[in-house]
Amino acid sequence: MNSEIQLQPGPVMLDITGIDLTETEKEMIAHPSTGGVILFARNYYSPEQVSSLVDNIRACRKGPLLIAVDQEGGRVQRFKQGFSILPPASYYNAAFPHSEHDAIEMTESAGWLMAAELISVGIDFSFAPVLDIEAGISQVIGDRAFAANKDQVCSFAAAFRNGMKQAGMAAVGKHFPGHGSVALDSHLDLPKDPRTLDDIRQHDLVPFWHLIQQGLEAVMTAHILYPEVDDKPATYSQRWVSDMLRQELGFNGVVFSDDLNMGGAAFAATFGERASLALGAGCDMVLICNNPDAAADILDYLPIVNNLESADRLVTMLHRTTYSRDELFASARWQQTAGLLNQHSNNLIA
């Protein structure tokens, strides 16, 4: 009989400092409250290196572990050399001004390509697609949004997610309930959106509702305060996460917090309190990035509990297919899609 205990995914996703693991990082990944690792550009040197790093990360833990990255395209693409360069989300619609069908088809292909290339090095998922609506206000969102029209955001985000799903990757819609209508950058400050719930419901929530109806696997919350709805930022708000997202929109997938090291998360003083508030509001997993001491504080602060409901949701984020980069590059779909995107990326650069 195998006496090893398989750990369920814990509620914390943390990061690492370099292209290999330190002994301290190995211990933190093995902690019962850890459930995931997010990688950044600093962790990437080559496809071969990152694939080996992923294997080493998984070897630290007896049980499933989520490994993620931000690979939206445009300004937010962590792995570049050896990967297809993806345009920002706003580009797909602009690339085919006279044919939305062709634009949607290209968006779906890009979602597939992004996901397939990440899976080929062992990554489970990217935090994509962005479901925010471009309102000409938020510079931190800007061209990361698919469109300024909510119905177009629905169409293009659904296409991108469909491509990810075809590759075997779960999607994460962000930033709930909507980041496009505030000027401040939640990485640095706590933005306040003065609109009423009805205004937000009829505008920003529409893409979330649309993709949830199609089976969206996960959502990431926004560090934004909506004072007409609740006195806590969305990440810490049971009103937003439990009442609106879970009950009104009927979402039964994974809820991730945005990074608790961001300025917008400083509503709560200590990092332990931030994590506790987010989990208490209904998040399944909290992210803590670019602050190893804060990650250690959170792991020490949180009680070690077995939340089987959250753990069952979290394991659905593991990638569902496996193939090598050689197999991927030999496929007709990769060759066709990579060639088309490369052509468009060259046009974008020009």
Side-chain angles (χ1 to χ4, degrees), residues 114-347:
M114 179 277 292
E117 290 187 349
L118 288 179
I119 290 172
S120 74
V121 296
I123 302 294
D124 290 309
F125 63 94
S126 168
F127 285 103
V130 169
L131 302 186
D132 302 311
I133 301 170
E134 164 59 6
I137 298 173
S138 174
Q139 291 186 359
V140 74
I141 299 301
D143 63 0
R144 295 170 65 193
F146 285 100
N149 178 285
K150 63 185 179 184
D151 294 325
Q152 287 186 321
V153 172
C154 291
S155 297
F156 283 93
F160 198 85
R161 179 203 167 243
N162 286 341
M164 294 172 67
K165 184 178 181 181
Q166 291 163 17
M169 178 178 285
V172 184
K174 60 186 186 184
H175 306 83
F176 179 83
H179 201 308
S181 293
V182 291
L184 291 179
D185 180 354
S186 60
H187 292 87
L188 307 174
D189 301 287
L190 175 59
K192 296 180 181 179
D193 189 329
R195 292 175 300 159
T196 66
L197 177 57
D198 283 343
D199 289 339
I200 298 168
R201 185 185 276 127
Q202 294 170 27
H203 189 64
D204 300 63
L205 291 186
V206 172
F208 288 95
W209 180 86
H210 183 77
L211 265 72
I212 287 169
Q213 296 303 302
Q214 298 186 1
L216 179 65
E217 295 88 353
V219 163
M220 173 177 276
T221 61
H223 297 324
I224 298 177
L225 182 65
Y226 306 84
E228 290 297 312
V229 183
D230 197 5
D231 60 0
K232 297 184 182 68
T235 297
Y236 302 143
S237 168
Q238 291 186 25
R239 179 85 172 97
W240 278 116
V241 179
S242 297
D243 297 347
M244 295 301 302
L245 181 57
R246 291 287 190 205
Q247 295 181 28
E248 182 169 321
L249 298 185
F251 180 65
N252 57 13
V254 176
V255 180
F256 292 97
S257 81
D258 208 341
D259 177 13
L260 297 183
N261 193 46
M262 291 165 56
F267 177 89
T270 72
F271 287 98
E273 290 170 347
R274 297 180 194 187
S276 183
L277 275 175
L279 295 171
C283 292
D284 296 295
M285 178 169 277
V286 296
L287 274 69
I288 180 64
C289 310
N290 304 309
N291 192 335
D293 290 339
D297 287 347
I298 288 174
L299 293 177
D300 288 341
Y301 182 90
L302 293 177
I304 297 174
V305 297
N306 291 320
N307 186 332
L308 296 181
E309 187 176 2
S310 279
D312 286 346
R313 285 195 286 258
L314 288 167
V315 295
T316 66
M317 300 302 296
L318 296 167
H319 64 269
R320 296 183 290 275
T321 55
T322 302
Y323 33 76
S324 70
R325 288 176 66 80
D326 288 342
E327 291 171 332
L328 178 63
F329 294 161
S331 70
R333 186 171 188 182
W334 182 87
Q335 293 175 13
Q336 179 180 4
T337 305
L340 179 62
L341 276 175
N342 185 58
Q343 175 186 336
H344 280 273
S345 293
N346 288 338
N347 292 340

